[in-house]
Amino acid sequence: SNLGGVSLDDVHRQELVDTLARAIKVTTQGDNLVTISYANPNPVVAKNVLDALLTIFAEKAANSSRAEMDKAQNFLSTQIADYEARLRKAEQDRANFRKKYASYFNDSGVAQPDLLRQQLAQVEQQYQEALAARGALATQMRQVPQLLSVESAPSVSNSGEVVVASPGVRLSQAQRNLADLRLRYTDNYPDVVSAKHMVD
């Protein structure tokens, strides 16, 4: 019946739990191995007790693993959200930078100094090619016989014919040739320079 608010079933259950606690021996072997032993004259009872204990251990281990997995998943979700926020901020900062320094970039996104460096390299290459061409022309000019303003020296007409004429006629022809060349070329052009020497 009832003794001071405690039923006989509760008292009987507590005695049974105490008896089981004294009879069951749990020993650990290493970090992950546990040995459970329980002796009872009735083999069915012994087996049922051990099965119940194994089920309890398995459920606790599963709950622990689940809790750890949930904790790990929550941690990873937090980290992913943090990195997403950082990425969005970095993209916004990049867009603001591009907007602030729009004149620094061209339409393809290449920085203006990089573009200028590329153009400078191209101009430098063209300059080196021009120097090489000038050197080749200078070599050819040195190999061409120089025309001297000697009275007996013949002159060459525009058609390439050799004309023997008086110095006055040849001077007039040379001046006309120089004037004609100056209309088409600068004073540093090789033909103009040659025509100047002819007039001199």
Side-chain angles (χ1 to χ4, degrees):
S1 22
N2 199 325
L3 299 174
V6 179
S7 67
L8 289 176
D9 287 340
D10 291 339
V11 174
H12 182 64
R13 186 180 296 110
Q14 187 59 44
E15 288 177 356
L16 188 59
V17 168
D18 292 340
T19 303
L20 282 173
R22 286 190 299 272
I24 295 171
K25 292 185 174 54
V26 179
T27 57
T28 58
Q29 298 178 352
D31 293 334
N32 299 319
L33 292 177
V34 176
T35 301
I36 303 171
S37 62
Y38 171 71
N40 191 288
N42 187 340
V44 175
V45 173
K47 178 181 180 303
N48 289 341
V49 169
L50 289 176
D51 285 344
L53 288 171
L54 290 174
T55 302
I56 292 169
F57 273 109
E59 286 178 356
K60 286 196 172 183
N63 289 337
S64 176
S65 296
R66 251 194 312 271
E68 289 178 2
M69 282 173 36
D70 290 343
K71 184 177 178 182
Q73 189 173 10
N74 291 336
F75 173 75
L76 291 176
S77 297
T78 304
Q79 291 296 307
I80 289 171
D82 181 51
Y83 280 113
E84 284 178 350
R86 289 187 193 180
L87 179 60
R88 280 194 297 272
K89 184 179 182 309
E91 288 174 347
Q92 186 62 44
D93 291 346
R94 180 175 179 270
N96 291 339
F97 179 85
R98 292 290 301 274
K99 185 176 179 182
K100 183 176 180 181
Y101 299 102
S103 61
Y104 183 78
F105 296 94
N106 66 4
D107 294 337
S108 64
V110 179
Q112 198 67 22
D114 294 337
L115 186 63
L116 292 175
R117 275 193 285 274
Q118 293 172 4
Q119 293 175 349
L120 179 61
Q122 291 174 354
V123 171
E124 180 68 24
Q125 182 179 0
Q126 292 172 358
Y127 174 70
Q128 294 300 330
E129 291 172 357
L131 285 180
R134 185 184 71 174
L137 287 173
T139 302
Q140 291 176 1
M141 287 290 290
R142 283 194 295 272
Q143 294 172 355
V144 174
Q146 298 296 315
L147 296 177
L148 301 175
S149 59
V150 180
E151 290 187 5
S152 61
S155 64
V156 180
S157 69
N158 289 337
S159 62
E161 297 177 357
V162 177
V163 178
V164 178
S166 65
V169 173
R170 281 185 285 141
L171 176 60
S172 177
Q173 288 175 345
Q175 288 172 339
R176 278 199 304 274
N177 185 38
L178 176 60
D180 182 56
L181 289 172
R182 278 183 167 159
L183 290 175
R184 291 177 290 162
Y185 306 106
T186 64
D187 284 347
N188 293 329
Y189 193 76
D191 288 352
V192 177
V193 174
S194 176
K196 281 183 188 177
H197 287 305
M198 178 69 74
V199 170
D200 290 341

